[in-house]
Coordinates of all heavy atoms in Angstrom, one line a residue:
M1 N 113.1 205.2 67.6 CA 113.1 205.6 66.2 C 114.5 206.3 65.9 O 114.7 207.3 66.5 CB 111.9 206.5 65.9 CG 111.9 206.9 64.5 SD 111.7 205.6 63.3 CE 110.0 205.0 63.7
D2 N 115.3 205.7 65.1 CA 116.6 206.3 64.8 C 116.4 207.0 63.4 O 115.7 206.5 62.5 CB 117.6 205.2 64.7 CG 117.9 204.6 66.0 OD1 117.4 205.1 67.0 OD2 118.7 203.6 66.1
F3 N 117.2 208.0 63.2 CA 117.2 208.7 62.0 C 118.5 209.5 61.7 O 119.3 209.6 62.7 CB 116.0 209.7 61.9 CG 116.1 210.7 63.1 CD1 116.7 211.9 63.0 CD2 115.5 210.4 64.3 CE1 116.7 212.8 64.0 CE2 115.5 211.3 65.4 CZ 116.1 212.5 65.2
H4 N 118.7 209.9 60.5 CA 120.0 210.5 60.1 C 120.0 212.0 60.7 O 119.0 212.6 60.8 CB 120.1 210.6 58.6 CG 121.5 211.0 58.2 ND1 121.8 212.3 57.8 CD2 122.6 210.2 58.1 CE1 123.1 212.3 57.5 NE2 123.6 211.1 57.7
V5 N 121.3 212.4 61.1 CA 121.5 213.7 61.7 C 120.9 214.8 60.9 O 120.5 215.9 61.4 CB 123.0 213.9 62.0 CG1 123.8 213.9 60.7 CG2 123.2 215.1 62.9
S6 N 120.9 214.6 59.6 CA 120.4 215.7 58.7 C 118.9 216.0 58.9 O 118.5 217.1 58.4 CB 120.6 215.3 57.2 OG 119.9 214.1 56.9
D7 N 118.2 215.2 59.6 CA 116.8 215.5 59.9 C 116.6 216.5 61.1 O 115.5 217.0 61.3 CB 116.0 214.2 60.3 CG 115.5 213.4 59.1 OD1 115.7 213.9 58.0 OD2 115.0 212.3 59.3
L8 N 117.7 216.7 61.8 CA 117.6 217.6 63.0 C 117.4 219.0 62.6 O 118.0 219.5 61.6 CB 118.9 217.5 63.8 CG 119.1 216.2 64.6 CD1 120.5 216.3 65.3 CD2 118.0 216.0 65.6
E9 N 116.7 219.8 63.4 CA 116.4 221.2 63.1 C 117.7 222.0 63.0 O 117.7 223.1 62.5 CB 115.4 221.8 64.1 CG 116.0 221.8 65.5 CD 115.0 222.3 66.6 OE1 113.9 222.8 66.2 OE2 115.4 222.2 67.7
S10 N 118.7 221.5 63.6 CA 120.0 222.2 63.7 C 120.7 222.1 62.3 O 121.8 222.8 62.1 CB 120.9 221.7 64.8 OG 121.1 220.3 64.6
Q11 N 120.2 221.3 61.4 CA 120.9 221.1 60.2 C 120.1 221.8 59.0 O 118.9 221.9 59.1 CB 121.0 219.6 59.8 CG 121.7 218.7 60.9 CD 123.1 219.1 61.1 OE1 123.8 219.2 60.1 NE2 123.5 219.4 62.3
P12 N 120.8 222.2 58.0 CA 120.1 222.8 56.9 C 118.9 221.9 56.3 O 119.2 220.8 56.0 CB 121.1 223.1 55.8 CG 122.4 223.0 56.6 CD 122.2 222.1 57.7
G13 N 117.7 222.4 56.3 CA 116.6 221.6 55.8 C 116.0 220.7 56.8 O 115.0 220.0 56.5
G14 N 116.6 220.5 58.0 CA 116.1 219.6 59.0 C 115.0 220.2 59.8 O 114.7 221.4 59.7
C15 N 114.2 219.4 60.6 CA 113.1 220.0 61.3 C 112.9 219.3 62.6 O 112.1 219.8 63.4 CB 111.8 219.8 60.4 SG 111.5 218.1 60.0
V16 N 113.5 218.2 63.0 CA 113.2 217.5 64.2 C 113.8 218.3 65.4 O 114.9 218.6 65.4 CB 113.7 216.1 64.2 CG1 113.4 215.3 65.5 CG2 113.2 215.3 63.0
P17 N 112.9 218.6 66.4 CA 113.4 219.3 67.6 C 114.6 218.6 68.3 O 114.4 217.4 68.7 CB 112.2 219.4 68.5 CG 111.0 219.3 67.6 CD 111.5 218.3 66.5
V18 N 115.7 219.2 68.4 CA 116.9 218.6 68.9 C 116.6 218.1 70.4 O 117.1 217.1 70.8 CB 118.1 219.5 68.9 CG1 119.3 218.9 69.6 CG2 118.4 219.8 67.4
A19 N 115.9 218.9 71.1 CA 115.7 218.6 72.5 C 114.9 217.3 72.8 O 115.0 216.7 73.9 CB 114.9 219.7 73.2
L20 N 114.3 216.8 71.7 CA 113.5 215.5 71.9 C 114.4 214.3 71.4 O 113.8 213.2 71.3 CB 112.2 215.6 71.0 CG 111.3 216.7 71.4 CD1 110.0 216.6 70.5 CD2 111.0 216.8 72.8
T21 N 115.7 214.5 71.2 CA 116.5 213.5 70.6 C 117.7 213.2 71.4 O 118.1 214.0 72.3 CB 116.9 213.9 69.2 OG1 117.9 214.9 69.3 CG2 115.8 214.3 68.3
L22 N 118.3 212.1 71.1 CA 119.6 211.7 71.7 C 120.6 211.3 70.6 O 120.1 210.6 69.7 CB 119.5 210.5 72.7 CG 118.7 210.8 74.0 CD1 118.4 209.4 74.6 CD2 119.4 211.7 74.9
P23 N 121.9 211.6 70.7 CA 122.8 211.1 69.7 C 123.1 209.6 69.9 O 123.2 209.2 71.1 CB 124.1 212.0 69.9 CG 124.0 212.4 71.3 CD 122.5 212.5 71.7
V24 N 123.2 208.9 68.9 CA 123.6 207.5 68.9 C 125.0 207.3 68.4 O 125.8 206.7 69.0 CB 122.6 206.6 68.1 CG1 123.0 205.1 68.2 CG2 121.1 206.8 68.6
T25 N 125.2 207.9 67.3 CA 126.6 208.0 66.7 C 126.7 209.4 66.1 O 125.7 210.2 66.3 CB 126.8 207.0 65.5 OG1 126.0 207.4 64.4 CG2 126.5 205.6 66.0
A26 N 127.8 209.7 65.5 CA 128.0 211.1 64.9 C 126.9 211.4 63.8 O 126.6 212.5 63.6 CB 129.4 211.2 64.3
S27 N 126.4 210.4 63.2 CA 125.5 210.6 62.1 C 124.1 210.0 62.4 O 123.2 210.2 61.5 CB 126.0 209.9 60.8 OG 126.1 208.5 61.0
L28 N 123.9 209.4 63.5 CA 122.6 208.8 63.8 C 122.0 209.4 65.1 O 122.7 209.4 66.1 CB 122.8 207.3 63.9 CG 121.6 206.4 63.8 CD1 121.0 206.5 62.4 CD2 122.0 205.0 64.0
Y29 N 120.7 209.8 65.1 CA 120.1 210.2 66.3 C 118.8 209.4 66.6 O 118.4 208.7 65.7 CB 119.7 211.7 66.1 CG 120.8 212.7 66.5 CD1 121.9 212.7 65.7 CD2 120.7 213.4 67.6 CE1 123.0 213.5 66.1 CE2 121.8 214.2 68.0 CZ 122.9 214.3 67.2 OH 124.0 215.1 67.6
R30 N 118.3 209.5 67.8 CA 117.2 208.7 68.2 C 116.2 209.5 69.0 O 116.6 210.4 69.7 CB 117.8 207.6 69.1 CG 116.7 206.6 69.7 CD 117.4 205.5 70.4 NE 118.1 204.6 69.4 CZ 119.1 203.8 69.7 NH1 119.5 203.6 71.0 NH2 119.7 203.1 68.8
M31 N 114.9 209.3 68.8 CA 113.9 210.0 69.6 C 114.0 209.5 71.0 O 114.1 208.3 71.3 CB 112.5 209.6 69.0 CG 112.2 210.2 67.7 SD 112.4 212.0 67.5 CE 111.2 212.6 68.6
R32 N 114.0 210.5 71.9 CA 114.0 210.1 73.4 C 112.8 209.2 73.7 O 111.7 209.4 73.1 CB 114.0 211.4 74.2 CG 115.2 212.2 74.2 CD 115.1 213.4 75.2 NE 116.3 214.3 75.1 CZ 117.3 214.2 75.9 NH1 117.4 213.2 76.8 NH2 118.3 215.0 75.7
G33 N 113.1 208.3 74.6 CA 112.0 207.4 75.0 C 111.9 206.1 74.3 O 111.4 205.1 74.8
T34 N 112.5 206.1 73.1 CA 112.5 204.8 72.4 C 113.4 203.8 72.9 O 113.4 202.6 72.4 CB 112.7 205.1 70.9 OG1 113.9 205.7 70.6 CG2 111.6 205.9 70.3
D35 N 114.3 204.1 73.8 CA 115.2 203.2 74.5 C 114.5 202.7 75.8 O 115.1 201.8 76.5 CB 116.5 203.8 74.9 CG 117.5 203.7 73.7 OD1 117.3 202.8 72.8 OD2 118.5 204.5 73.7
D36 N 113.5 203.3 76.3 CA 112.8 202.9 77.5 C 112.2 201.6 77.4 O 112.0 201.0 76.4 CB 111.8 204.0 77.9 CG 112.4 205.3 78.2 OD1 113.6 205.4 78.2 OD2 111.7 206.3 78.4
G37 N 111.8 201.0 78.6 CA 111.1 199.8 78.6 C 109.8 200.0 79.4 O 109.8 200.1 80.6
P38 N 108.7 199.9 78.7 CA 108.5 199.7 77.3 C 108.9 201.0 76.5 O 108.8 202.1 77.1 CB 107.0 199.4 77.1 CG 106.4 200.0 78.3 CD 107.4 200.0 79.4
P39 N 109.3 200.8 75.2 CA 109.7 202.0 74.5 C 108.4 202.9 74.2 O 107.4 202.4 73.9 CB 110.2 201.5 73.2 CG 109.7 200.1 73.1 CD 109.5 199.6 74.5
R40 N 108.7 204.2 74.3 CA 107.6 205.1 74.0 C 108.3 206.5 73.6 O 108.9 207.1 74.4 CB 106.6 205.4 75.2 CG 105.5 206.3 74.8 CD 104.5 206.6 75.9 NE 103.6 207.6 75.6 CZ 102.3 207.4 75.3 NH1 101.8 206.2 75.4 NH2 101.5 208.4 75.0
C41 N 108.1 206.8 72.3 CA 108.7 208.1 71.8 C 108.1 209.2 72.6 O 106.9 209.3 72.9 CB 108.3 208.2 70.4 SG 108.8 209.8 69.7
I42 N 109.0 210.1 73.0 CA 108.7 211.3 73.8 C 107.7 212.2 73.1 O 106.9 212.9 73.7 CB 110.0 212.1 74.2 CG1 109.7 213.2 75.2 CG2 110.6 212.7 72.9 CD1 110.9 213.9 75.7
A43 N 107.6 212.1 71.8 CA 106.7 212.9 71.0 C 105.3 212.4 70.9 O 104.4 213.0 70.4 CB 107.2 213.2 69.6
L44 N 105.1 211.1 71.4 CA 103.8 210.5 71.3 C 102.9 210.9 72.5 O 103.3 210.8 73.7 CB 103.9 209.0 71.3 CG 102.7 208.2 71.1 CD1 102.1 208.4 69.7 CD2 102.9 206.7 71.3
A45 N 101.7 211.4 72.2 CA 100.7 211.8 73.2 C 99.5 210.9 73.1 O 99.2 210.4 72.0 CB 100.3 213.2 73.1
G46 N 98.8 210.6 74.2 CA 97.6 209.8 74.2 C 97.8 208.4 74.6 O 98.8 208.1 75.2
D47 N 96.8 207.6 74.4 CA 96.7 206.2 74.9 C 96.8 205.3 73.7 O 95.9 205.3 72.9 CB 95.5 206.0 75.7 CG 95.4 206.9 76.9 OD1 96.4 207.0 77.6 OD2 94.3 207.4 77.2
I48 N 97.8 204.4 73.7 CA 98.0 203.4 72.7 C 96.8 202.5 72.7 O 96.4 202.0 73.8 CB 99.3 202.7 72.8 CG1 100.4 203.6 72.6 CG2 99.4 201.5 71.8 CD1 101.8 203.1 72.9
G49 N 96.1 202.2 71.6 CA 94.9 201.4 71.6 C 93.7 202.3 71.7 O 92.6 201.9 71.4
G50 N 93.9 203.6 72.1 CA 92.8 204.5 72.1 C 93.1 205.6 71.0 O 93.2 205.3 69.9
E51 N 93.3 206.8 71.5 CA 93.7 207.9 70.6 C 95.1 208.3 70.9 O 95.5 208.6 72.0 CB 92.7 209.1 70.8 CG 91.4 208.9 70.1 CD 90.6 210.2 70.1 OE1 91.2 211.3 70.3 OE2 89.4 210.1 69.8
V52 N 95.9 208.4 69.8 CA 97.3 208.9 70.0 C 97.5 209.9 68.9 O 96.8 210.1 68.0 CB 98.3 207.7 69.8 CG1 98.3 206.7 70.9 CG2 98.1 207.0 68.5
L53 N 98.6 210.7 69.2 CA 98.9 211.8 68.4 C 100.4 212.0 68.4 O 101.0 212.0 69.5 CB 98.2 213.0 68.9 CG 98.7 214.4 68.6 CD1 98.3 214.8 67.2 CD2 98.0 215.4 69.6
C54 N 101.0 212.2 67.3 CA 102.4 212.7 67.2 C 102.4 214.2 67.4 O 101.9 214.9 66.5 CB 103.1 212.3 65.9 SG 104.7 212.9 65.7
T55 N 103.1 214.6 68.5 CA 103.0 216.1 68.8 C 104.0 216.9 67.9 O 104.0 218.1 67.9 CB 103.4 216.3 70.3 OG1 104.7 215.8 70.5 CG2 102.3 215.7 71.2
I56 N 104.8 216.2 67.1 CA 105.7 216.9 66.1 C 105.4 216.4 64.7 O 106.3 216.3 63.9 CB 107.2 216.7 66.5 CG1 107.6 215.3 66.6 CG2 107.5 217.4 67.8 CD1 109.1 215.0 66.6
Y57 N 104.1 216.0 64.4 CA 103.8 215.4 63.2 C 104.4 216.1 62.0 O 105.0 215.4 61.1 CB 102.3 215.3 63.0 CG 101.9 214.4 61.9 CD1 101.9 213.0 62.0 CD2 101.5 215.0 60.7 CE1 101.5 212.2 60.9 CE2 101.1 214.2 59.6 CZ 101.1 212.8 59.7 OH 100.8 212.0 58.7
D58 N 104.3 217.4 61.9 CA 104.9 218.1 60.7 C 106.4 218.2 60.8 O 107.0 218.6 59.8 CB 104.3 219.5 60.6 CG 102.8 219.4 60.3 OD1 102.4 218.4 59.6 OD2 102.1 220.4 60.6
R59 N 107.0 217.8 61.9 CA 108.4 217.9 62.1 C 109.1 216.5 62.4 O 110.1 216.4 62.9 CB 108.8 218.9 63.2 CG 108.2 220.3 62.9 CD 108.3 221.2 64.0 NE 109.8 221.5 64.2 CZ 110.2 222.2 65.3 NH1 109.4 222.6 66.2 NH2 111.5 222.5 65.4
R60 N 108.3 215.4 62.1 CA 108.8 214.1 62.5 C 110.0 213.7 61.6 O 110.1 214.1 60.4 CB 107.6 213.1 62.4 CG 107.1 212.8 61.1 CD 105.7 212.2 61.2 NE 105.2 211.7 60.0 CZ 104.7 212.4 59.0 NH1 104.6 213.8 59.1 NH2 104.2 211.9 57.9
P61 N 110.8 212.7 62.1 CA 111.9 212.3 61.3 C 111.5 211.5 60.0 O 110.4 211.0 59.9 CB 112.7 211.3 62.2 CG 112.1 211.6 63.6 CD 110.7 212.1 63.4
G62 N 112.5 211.4 59.1 CA 112.2 210.7 57.9 C 111.6 209.2 58.0 O 110.7 208.9 57.4
P63 N 112.2 208.4 58.9 CA 111.7 207.0 59.0 C 110.2 207.0 59.5 O 109.4 206.1 59.1 CB 112.6 206.4 60.1 CG 113.9 207.1 60.0 CD 113.5 208.6 59.7
C64 N 109.8 208.0 60.3 CA 108.4 208.1 60.7 C 107.5 208.5 59.5 O 106.4 208.0 59.4 CB 108.3 209.2 61.8 SG 109.2 208.9 63.3
R65 N 108.1 209.3 58.6 CA 107.3 209.7 57.4 C 107.1 208.5 56.5 O 106.1 208.4 55.8 CB 108.0 210.8 56.7 CG 108.0 212.1 57.5 CD 108.9 213.2 56.8 NE 109.0 214.4 57.6 CZ 108.0 215.3 57.7 NH1 107.0 215.3 56.9 NH2 108.2 216.3 58.5
D66 N 108.1 207.6 56.5 CA 108.1 206.4 55.6 C 107.3 205.3 56.2 O 106.9 204.4 55.4 CB 109.5 205.9 55.3 CG 110.3 206.9 54.6 OD1 109.8 207.8 53.9 OD2 111.6 206.9 54.7
F67 N 107.0 205.3 57.5 CA 106.4 204.2 58.2 C 104.9 204.1 57.8 O 104.2 205.0 57.9 CB 106.5 204.3 59.7 CG 106.0 203.1 60.5 CD1 106.7 202.0 60.6 CD2 104.7 203.2 61.0 CE1 106.2 200.9 61.3 CE2 104.2 202.1 61.7 CZ 105.0 201.0 61.9
A68 N 104.5 202.9 57.3 CA 103.1 202.6 57.0 C 102.4 203.8 56.4 O 101.4 204.3 57.0 CB 102.4 202.2 58.3
P69 N 102.8 204.2 55.2 CA 102.3 205.4 54.6 C 100.7 205.4 54.4 O 100.2 206.5 54.2 CB 103.1 205.6 53.3 CG 103.5 204.2 53.0 CD 103.7 203.5 54.4
Y70 N 100.2 204.2 54.3 CA 98.7 204.2 54.0 C 97.9 203.8 55.2 O 96.7 203.5 55.1 CB 98.5 203.2 52.9 CG 99.2 203.6 51.6 CD1 100.2 202.8 51.1 CD2 98.9 204.7 50.9 CE1 100.9 203.1 49.9 CE2 99.6 205.1 49.8 CZ 100.6 204.3 49.3 OH 101.2 204.7 48.2
A71 N 98.5 203.9 56.4 CA 97.8 203.5 57.6 C 96.5 204.3 57.8 O 95.5 203.8 58.3 CB 98.7 203.6 58.8
A72 N 96.6 205.6 57.5 CA 95.4 206.5 57.7 C 94.3 206.0 56.8 O 93.1 206.4 57.0 CB 95.8 207.9 57.4
L73 N 94.6 205.3 55.8 CA 93.5 204.7 54.8 C 93.1 203.3 55.3 O 92.3 202.7 54.5 CB 94.0 204.7 53.4 CG 94.5 206.1 52.9 CD1 95.1 205.9 51.5 CD2 93.3 207.1 52.8
G74 N 93.7 202.8 56.4 CA 93.3 201.5 56.9 C 94.1 200.4 56.2 O 93.8 199.3 56.3
I75 N 95.2 200.8 55.6 CA 96.1 199.8 55.0 C 97.4 199.9 55.7 O 98.2 200.8 55.6 CB 96.3 200.2 53.5 CG1 94.9 200.2 52.8 CG2 97.2 199.1 52.8 CD1 95.0 200.8 51.4
G76 N 97.8 198.8 56.4 CA 99.0 198.7 57.1 C 100.1 198.0 56.3 O 99.9 197.8 55.1
D77 N 101.2 197.8 56.9 CA 102.3 197.0 56.3 C 102.9 196.1 57.4 O 102.3 196.1 58.5 CB 103.4 197.9 55.6 CG 104.0 198.9 56.6 OD1 103.9 198.7 57.9 OD2 104.7 199.8 56.2
E78 N 103.9 195.4 57.1 CA 104.4 194.4 58.1 C 104.9 195.1 59.4 O 104.6 194.6 60.5 CB 105.5 193.5 57.5 CG 105.8 192.3 58.3 CD 104.6 191.5 58.8 OE1 103.6 191.3 58.0 OE2 104.6 191.2 60.0
G79 N 105.6 196.2 59.3 CA 106.0 196.9 60.5 C 104.9 197.4 61.3 O 104.9 197.3 62.5
C80 N 103.9 197.9 60.7 CA 102.7 198.4 61.3 C 102.0 197.2 62.0 O 101.6 197.3 63.2 CB 101.7 199.0 60.3 SG 100.1 199.5 60.9
A81 N 101.9 196.1 61.4 CA 101.2 194.9 61.9 C 102.0 194.4 63.2 O 101.4 194.1 64.2 CB 101.1 193.8 60.9
R82 N 103.3 194.4 63.1 CA 104.1 194.0 64.2 C 103.9 194.9 65.4 O 103.8 194.5 66.6 CB 105.6 194.0 63.9 CG 106.2 192.7 63.4 CD 107.7 192.7 63.4 NE 108.3 193.9 62.8 CZ 108.6 194.0 61.6 NH1 108.3 193.1 60.7 NH2 109.2 195.1 61.1
A83 N 103.9 196.2 65.2 CA 103.7 197.2 66.2 C 102.3 197.0 66.9 O 102.2 197.1 68.1 CB 103.9 198.6 65.7
R84 N 101.3 196.8 66.1 CA 100.0 196.7 66.6 C 99.8 195.4 67.4 O 99.3 195.4 68.5 CB 99.0 196.7 65.5 CG 98.8 198.1 64.8 CD 97.8 198.0 63.7 NE 96.5 197.7 64.1 CZ 95.6 198.6 64.6 NH1 95.9 199.9 64.6 NH2 94.4 198.3 65.0
R85 N 100.4 194.3 66.9 CA 100.4 193.0 67.7 C 101.1 193.2 69.0 O 100.6 192.6 70.0 CB 101.0 191.9 66.9 CG 100.2 191.4 65.7 CD 100.7 190.1 65.2 NE 100.1 189.8 63.9 CZ 100.7 190.0 62.7 NH1 101.9 190.4 62.6 NH2 100.0 189.7 61.6
R86 N 102.2 193.9 69.0 CA 103.0 194.1 70.3 C 102.1 194.8 71.3 O 102.3 194.6 72.5 CB 104.2 195.0 70.0 CG 105.3 194.7 70.9 CD 106.7 195.3 70.5 NE 106.6 196.5 69.7 CZ 107.1 196.6 68.5 NH1 107.6 195.6 67.9 NH2 107.1 197.8 67.8
H87 N 101.1 195.5 70.9 CA 100.2 196.2 71.8 C 98.8 195.6 71.9 O 97.9 196.2 72.4 CB 100.1 197.7 71.4 CG 101.4 198.4 71.6 ND1 101.8 198.8 72.9 CD2 102.3 198.8 70.8 CE1 103.0 199.4 72.8 NE2 103.3 199.5 71.5
G88 N 98.7 194.3 71.5 CA 97.5 193.6 71.6 C 96.4 194.0 70.7 O 95.2 193.7 70.9
M89 N 96.8 194.6 69.6 CA 95.8 195.0 68.6 C 95.9 194.2 67.3 O 97.0 193.8 67.0 CB 96.0 196.5 68.2 CG 95.7 197.5 69.4 SD 95.9 199.2 68.9 CE 97.7 199.4 69.0
Q90 N 94.8 194.0 66.6 CA 94.8 193.4 65.3 C 95.5 194.2 64.3 O 95.3 195.5 64.3 CB 93.3 193.1 64.9 CG 92.6 192.2 65.7 CD 93.0 190.7 65.3 OE1 93.4 190.4 64.2 NE2 92.8 189.8 66.3
P91 N 96.2 193.6 63.4 CA 96.7 194.4 62.2 C 95.6 195.0 61.5 O 94.5 194.5 61.4 CB 97.5 193.3 61.4 CG 97.8 192.2 62.4 CD 96.7 192.2 63.3
L92 N 95.9 196.2 60.8 CA 94.9 196.8 60.0 C 94.4 195.9 58.9 O 95.2 195.2 58.3 CB 95.5 198.1 59.4 CG 95.8 199.2 60.4 CD1 96.5 200.4 59.7 CD2 94.5 199.7 61.1
G93 N 93.2 195.9 58.6 CA 92.6 195.1 57.5 C 92.3 193.7 57.9 O 91.8 192.9 57.0
E94 N 92.5 193.3 59.1 CA 92.1 191.9 59.6 C 90.8 191.9 60.3 O 90.5 192.9 60.9 CB 93.2 191.3 60.4 CG 94.4 190.9 59.6 CD 95.5 190.1 60.3 OE1 95.2 189.7 61.5 OE2 96.5 189.9 59.8
Ligands
LIG101 S1 105.7 209.6 64.4 FE1 106.1 211.0 66.1 S2 105.5 209.9 67.9 FE2 105.8 208.4 66.4 S3 107.9 207.8 66.6 FE3 107.9 209.4 65.0 S4 108.3 211.3 66.2 FE4 107.7 209.7 67.7

């Protein structure tokens, strides 16, 4: 998951813990683990397909806040469906 440097806790108004990130460019940062194979964000706890939890939910980057905003209501979007299929799960609502 990549996001703008302004989301980092080291920036005014930012909140993402720097220790959980890697710089990609001067203005772009990435959550550690998302380059791994298979990718897994360092902030993700639990078992995919079972119960998972973002351990920095209140401090997650902007793109995470924008991703599938209605998923908790059982309404996914195309990105959500792709991610679920990648892990052998049905898209939400199917
Ligand atoms: S929501 Fe949390 S666990 Fe998921 S990619 Fe973002 S920071 Fe990582």
Side-chain angles (χ1 to χ4, degrees):
M1 180 62 68
D2 293 354
F3 56 93
H4 193 260
V5 64
S6 61
D7 278 353
L8 289 176
E9 65 183 350
S10 58
Q11 304 297 311
C15 59
V16 180
V18 175
L20 303 185
T21 70
L22 293 169
V24 179
T25 67
S27 61
L28 200 63
Y29 275 68
R30 179 171 293 162
M31 293 304 296
R32 289 183 185 267
T34 54
D35 273 341
D36 293 353
R40 184 180 171 109
C41 176
I42 192 173
L44 185 67
D47 299 314
I48 295 172
E51 282 192 13
V52 292
L53 158 76
C54 174
T55 58
I56 59 165
Y57 189 77
D58 291 337
R59 302 173 68 188
R60 67 198 188 284
C64 300
R65 295 175 184 274
D66 295 339
F67 183 81
Y70 301 114
L73 302 175
I75 304 167
D77 59 19
E78 193 45 45
C80 175
R82 267 196 313 275
R84 291 179 64 88
R85 284 191 193 103
R86 206 168 33 242
H87 292 284
M89 294 180 281
Q90 291 284 332
L92 293 176
E94 286 188 8

